Amino acid sequence: MPIATVNPANGETIKSFDALGPEETEWRLATAAGAFREYRTTAFDERARLLNRAADLLDEDQEDIARTMTTEMGKPVKAARAEAAKCAKAMRWYAANAQRLLADEHPEEADVRDAGASRAFVRYRPLGVVLAVMPWNFPLWQVVRFAAPALMAGNVGLLKHASNVPQTALYLEDLFRRAGYPEGCFQTLLVGSGAVEAILRDPRVAAATLTGSEPAGRSVASVAGDEVKKTVMELGGSDPYVVLPSADIAKAAATAVTARVQNNGQSCIAAKRFIVHTDVYDEFAERFTEGMRALTVGDPARESTDIGPLASERGRADLEELVDDAVRRGATALCGGARPQGLGDGLDGGWFYTPTVLSGITPDMRIHQEETFGPVATLYRAVDLGEALALANDTPFGLSSNVWTRDAEEMGRCVRDLEAGGVFFNGMTASHPALPFGGIKRSGYGRELSGHGIREFCNATTVWYGA
């Protein structure tokens, strides 16, 4: 795949970039290793000063970087601004909390004595150079949620970003440079996916984190496993959105629209499978379909646009194949199910798809098991909570989940039985720096954000002093 900015709203190539050669890649690896030797000794106050400065610069750059993201991958510009603001917030959160999260841990005195020590504690020390292989769908946030905790822990970062967002990738390197980070603390590697294995196998790289598809995760995890290197994997998701009779149906349906089409539907934590109790199914389906049908599809650079194009032509083709397979096997498109027509303004060459709601889903349809990365929702009817939970868990993925109910007993059962890394009640899944983020099953392993995330790339060191 070429390294280039291609505007998905019209298919126009804006700018192309040459991949780094072996000599430049080697120089960057050496620079990162050298930077870690010095940066790991910096005090938390200095790391916080640098990260807060990066947050300030990001706020100043918000409009420009939002426009860049919109041009590169098609997200509505109002969503791009929100993404930039969220990144600055996360930077400040880690700047304020990292020292507390990585404070020495002291066992009970009785346990210290029982271990034959006069003193003992656990200290979190940085691992070193961390390679981040990141996707295009949240091209700023996915990187910052890795970089902010990693840098505050004393690690340094190498970013291999998706090849269709090179300008966002280069902006991130420049952002940390302008903030005052020492040379080599955060670098962007403009390389293709074929170069990742050699970089990951390099002994100067200590660990890796990947957000992306299951095949990409398998590839990176297998190489890292062969090299015995730590990894965190955040892969696909097919999150259930369960609606039970006690819910506020109007609110649940309105929120469901946002939960499904955020980022043009290209989000691993977007709700994708809507499982509704039969007693409220008809009302929810009507409200939800009306909401999806009312969305404005068009130029993502316009403030009034709700849904922009998919990020790639291949992505739209994959989505169309899933929808066509479902309809061919008996599903009904309550709305959408096709490419929009007559958008005008030079957009007919873009990779748009109409917001779609499918009902009558059966297990023999591909869409029942595969992730839909675009504005397509599937509706299921459940006779009771037991069937709803069975449908919710009938997926190879386990990233997050959403449940709408006012019943405390139902809530408790969902927390116990849902197979996911998160359970969100009466709202939609969202990430926040104070809460761990990640999944189970084929959605990956490890956690990002919170104290769990910052400690993923630390050496939990036991320090023991004899009596």
Side-chain angles (χ1 to χ4, degrees):
M1 182 178 181
I3 301 174
T5 298
V6 180
N7 188 344
N10 55 27
E12 177 186 351
T13 299
I14 306 297
K15 191 173 184 179
S16 298
F17 297 82
D18 293 328
L20 294 179
E23 290 184 2
E24 178 67 10
T25 301
E26 164 59 29
W27 181 85
R28 287 175 176 263
L29 281 164
T31 303
F36 174 65
R37 285 193 292 272
E38 298 299 321
Y39 182 69
R40 67 185 181 87
T41 65
T42 56
F44 280 107
D45 285 351
E46 173 61 7
R47 297 176 198 170
R49 183 189 69 80
L50 292 169
L51 195 58
N52 278 320
R53 177 57 180 154
D56 291 343
L57 290 170
L58 180 53
D59 281 340
E60 294 172 11
D61 299 341
Q62 183 183 109
E63 187 63 28
D64 287 343
I65 189 56
R67 295 284 172 182
T68 297
M69 288 190 284
T70 295
T71 299
E72 290 202 305
M73 56 72 56
K75 76 170 69 245
V77 69
K78 55 190 177 185
R81 290 192 197 100
E83 181 173 339
K86 183 175 184 176
C87 290
K89 176 182 178 180
M91 289 177 175
R92 294 188 176 100
W93 189 89
Y94 268 108
N97 290 283
Q99 185 170 6
R100 171 181 61 83
L101 297 172
L102 296 178
D104 291 346
E105 294 181 2
H106 296 271
E108 295 292 332
E109 284 298 322
D111 292 326
V112 172
R113 291 193 299 271
D114 191 56
S118 62
R119 185 161 67 102
F121 59 89
V122 177
R123 176 159 296 172
Y124 290 98
R125 299 187 294 163
L127 288 182
V129 178
V130 182
L131 173 65
V133 182
M134 292 288 115
W136 45 262
N137 57 335
F138 291 94
L140 209 64
W141 170 240
Q142 304 279 17
V143 179
V144 167
R145 76 183 191 193
F146 143 74
L151 289 168
M152 283 305 301
N155 295 300
V156 302
L158 291 173
L159 169 63
K160 189 286 178 214
H161 218 324
S163 293
N164 61 331
V165 290
Q167 293 189 69
T168 303
L170 291 170
Y171 167 80
L172 283 157
E173 178 180 89
D174 185 60
L175 174 69
F176 289 113
R177 178 191 59 78
R178 287 186 290 133
Y181 279 89
E183 184 179 32
C185 279
F186 187 93
Q187 299 177 84
T188 288
L189 305 178
L190 288 185
V191 296
S193 58
V196 170
E197 178 174 350
I199 295 168
L200 182 52
R201 289 190 185 276
D202 191 287
R204 290 165 293 191
V205 174
T209 179
L210 179 142
T211 299
S213 68
E214 184 184 338
R218 288 179 182 273
S219 176
V220 168
S222 64
V223 173
D226 190 50
E227 295 290 335
V228 197
K229 293 182 178 180
K230 176 68 180 290
T231 54
V232 169
M233 295 284 143
E234 195 269 277
L235 308 178
S238 190
D239 291 3
Y241 190 101
V242 178
V243 183
L244 299 171
S246 66
D248 180 334
I249 302 304
K251 186 176 180 182
T255 304
V257 174
T258 304
R260 175 59 281 217
V261 303
Q262 59 177 311
N263 206 43
N264 302 336
Q266 301 165 124
S267 171
C268 51
I269 59 169
K272 299 183 175 80
R273 297 175 299 126
F274 296 82
I275 301 164
V276 187
H277 193 285
T278 189
D279 291 351
V280 292
Y281 178 92
D282 291 341
E283 180 185 356
F284 178 88
E286 181 179 358
R287 289 178 180 272
F288 180 46
T289 302
E290 287 176 357
M292 292 284 280
R293 190 183 289 117
L295 295 169
T296 299
V297 179
D299 185 349
R302 290 181 178 172
E303 303 293 336
S304 59
T305 294
D306 299 310
I307 306 290
L310 299 187
S312 69
E313 190 170 16
R314 179 67 258 173
R316 182 176 66 176
D318 290 344
L319 191 68
E320 287 176 320
E321 288 176 9
L322 289 177
V323 172
D324 291 347
D325 172 78
V327 171
R328 190 166 54 249
R329 294 174 185 272
T332 300
L334 302 181
C335 67
R339 301 179 184 185
Q341 301 296 319
L343 292 177
D345 297 326
L347 301 178
D348 289 334
W351 303 314
F352 295 88
Y353 197 78
T354 304
T356 299
V357 179
L358 298 177
S359 66
I361 306 300
T362 55
D364 63 317
M365 299 173 185
R366 288 177 55 198
I367 205 167
H368 179 70
Q369 289 291 320
E370 298 181 34
E371 180 179 20
T372 51
F373 225 58
V376 174
T378 53
L379 267 176
Y380 295 81
R381 186 190 296 265
V383 297
D384 56 23
L385 177 57
E387 185 179 17
L389 288 169
L391 285 167
N393 291 335
D394 186 23
T395 173
F397 301 105
L399 193 53
S400 189
S401 60
N402 310 261
V403 180
W404 287 75
T405 178
R406 295 188 178 102
D407 187 300
E409 185 175 342
E410 289 177 341
M411 290 180 179
R413 187 174 171 189
C414 289
V415 171
R416 184 192 69 187
D417 293 343
L418 277 169
E419 298 169 357
V423 184
F424 286 69
F425 290 104
N426 302 320
M428 58 180 274
T429 297
S431 54
H432 185 281
L435 298 171
F437 180 86
I440 60 172
K441 301 197 286 190
R442 292 187 181 179
S443 289
Y445 53 80
R447 291 295 181 265
E448 296 177 290
L449 302 175
S450 78
H452 296 274
I454 196 171
R455 289 189 288 268
E456 287 281 6
F457 295 116
C458 287
N459 172 9
T461 308
T462 296
V463 181
W464 184 95
Y465 295 87

